[in-house]
Amino acid sequence: MALEKLVPVLLAFAGGVLLARRKSVPAEASKAFSDYAFLFAVPCYLFGNIYASDLALLFDWRALGGYAAAAALAVTVVVLAAVAHGVREPRAVALRVMAGVQVNTAYFAVPVFITVFGTAAPIFPVLLFQVCVLSLVIISLMELGRPGSEADGPGRRLSRAVGASLATPLVLACNAAIVLNLLSVHVPAVVLDAAAFVGDSASPVALFALGLHLGGLGLDLRGTTREEWALIGFKCLAFPLLTWFVCGVLLGVGGQWLAYLVLIAAMPTPQNLFVFAQRYDVGVDLSASLVIKSSLAALVLLPLWLHVVAA
């Protein structure tokens, strides 16, 4: 059943691959589709869904604090490993952090959770954490590494990077939705309907862009590098195990919340990795490969993790 829910994901991706292979749509057009998803469609999707959620019912602070602690440890491990292997450029480090720690929520976790638990509501607090904290850190590093930023001093570069990350449509949409939700500000139905209309295109457009890029690039599983294997293994095996240890063993989180958090951590690298890579012109081929290969690995490991959380 979980795999059946992923058929739309495969269709959107395969459509991009096919059209690129047949040269009906140039692979270079994937950049325009990615920008549309990153700058417009995904913010609309997040704004409408977060605003309409009951935030009070979605937050178990001990569970979410445990997940945040596990994510912080995971970020530290990825950064240290990247630097130890000679990766020093801020954008490249940020890309690897996103690949190893952030999870695919909208395209992968939602259908799995609906199938297994009957609801996708537990995903939204983690989604908020990803967008408002992890993405903020990653976008700041990306902005710091932009060509030409070396002309300014470190303080000015950092303040400009943080300001730029806070001003991105992705972060602005989430923060606006949270504030309006908490203040019970009425947003006209026509605005929410319009946001939902545009937001519904985020997933297929981002997947189509990824398919276009890989259709032009090609994908060779036998050519997977050691770094790719390491990042995929960390994302699909080490991170969920770390989440189980921190949340379940150290903090005593149990029951459904422990199952939710471990399964969320086991989700693959998000398609947004590819969107960020194209947006900031860093590691585009690496990101496209990691998104697809981690998704394949997660599909194979999904029965194992479902058995673990059921136990």
Side-chain angles (χ1 to χ4, degrees):
M1 288 295 293
L3 296 181
E4 291 178 3
K5 296 286 185 178
L6 298 176
V7 169
V9 172
L10 298 175
L11 179 62
F13 169 74
V17 172
L18 179 62
L19 291 178
R21 287 290 188 184
R22 299 186 63 179
K23 301 188 184 302
S24 300
V25 179
E28 295 78 14
S30 63
K31 179 65 164 59
F33 286 105
S34 294
D35 280 346
Y36 166 81
F38 178 76
L39 297 174
F40 189 43
V42 172
C44 286
Y45 170 84
L46 292 174
F47 176 82
N49 280 276
I50 293 172
Y51 174 79
S53 299
D54 186 345
L55 300 181
L57 296 178
L58 292 181
F59 288 86
D60 181 315
W61 291 109
R62 185 175 62 167
L64 296 176
Y67 185 88
L73 288 174
V75 168
T76 302
V77 171
V78 173
V79 170
L80 292 177
V83 172
H85 285 81
V87 180
R88 304 294 175 86
E89 205 274 327
R91 292 176 301 164
V93 174
L95 191 78
R96 285 154 177 81
V97 168
M98 190 174 185
V101 181
Q102 292 224 39
V103 301
N104 188 325
T105 52
Y107 312 142
F108 207 102
V110 168
V112 170
F113 267 64
I114 291 175
T115 301
V116 176
F117 302 110
T119 177
I123 296 171
F124 283 102
V126 174
L127 179 61
L128 289 175
F129 169 72
Q130 281 201 160
V131 171
C132 297
V133 179
L134 288 177
S135 289
L136 181 64
V137 173
I138 289 168
I139 293 173
S140 295
L141 288 173
M142 292 287 191
E143 290 290 340
L144 277 172
R146 272 188 182 276
S149 65
E150 299 84 357
D152 299 322
R156 186 173 180 181
R157 289 169 57 199
L158 180 60
S159 62
R160 187 173 59 188
V162 172
S165 63
L166 289 173
T168 59
L170 197 70
V171 176
L172 286 174
C174 287
N175 289 336
I178 293 172
V179 170
L180 294 175
N181 185 307
L182 292 175
L183 295 179
S184 299
V185 176
H186 174 70
V187 176
V190 64
V191 174
L192 295 177
D193 290 343
F197 177 78
V198 174
D200 286 343
S201 68
S203 295
V205 169
L207 286 163
F208 181 75
L210 180 62
L212 276 179
H213 180 79
L214 285 181
L217 175 68
L219 182 66
D220 181 11
L221 291 176
R222 291 180 296 180
T224 304
T225 65
R226 290 185 178 180
E227 182 181 36
E228 289 176 5
W229 282 120
L231 285 169
I232 293 169
F234 186 86
K235 178 69 212 66
C236 296
L237 286 172
F239 185 39
L241 287 173
L242 181 62
T243 301
W244 168 81
F245 179 77
V246 172
C247 296
V249 178
L250 296 184
L251 298 181
V253 177
Q256 287 287 83
W257 263 111
L258 182 60
Y260 294 154
L261 297 178
V262 172
L263 196 58
I264 288 173
M267 295 295 113
T269 297
Q271 274 84 352
N272 282 347
L273 178 74
F274 175 73
V275 176
F276 272 70
Q278 285 207 321
R279 177 69 178 165
Y280 292 99
D281 191 26
V282 56
V284 177
D285 295 343
L286 173 65
S287 66
S289 179
L290 287 173
V291 168
I292 294 302
K293 292 174 183 177
S294 68
S295 297
L296 294 175
L299 284 173
V300 173
L301 293 171
L302 186 59
L304 168 65
W305 290 118
L306 291 176
H307 175 74
V308 170
V309 299

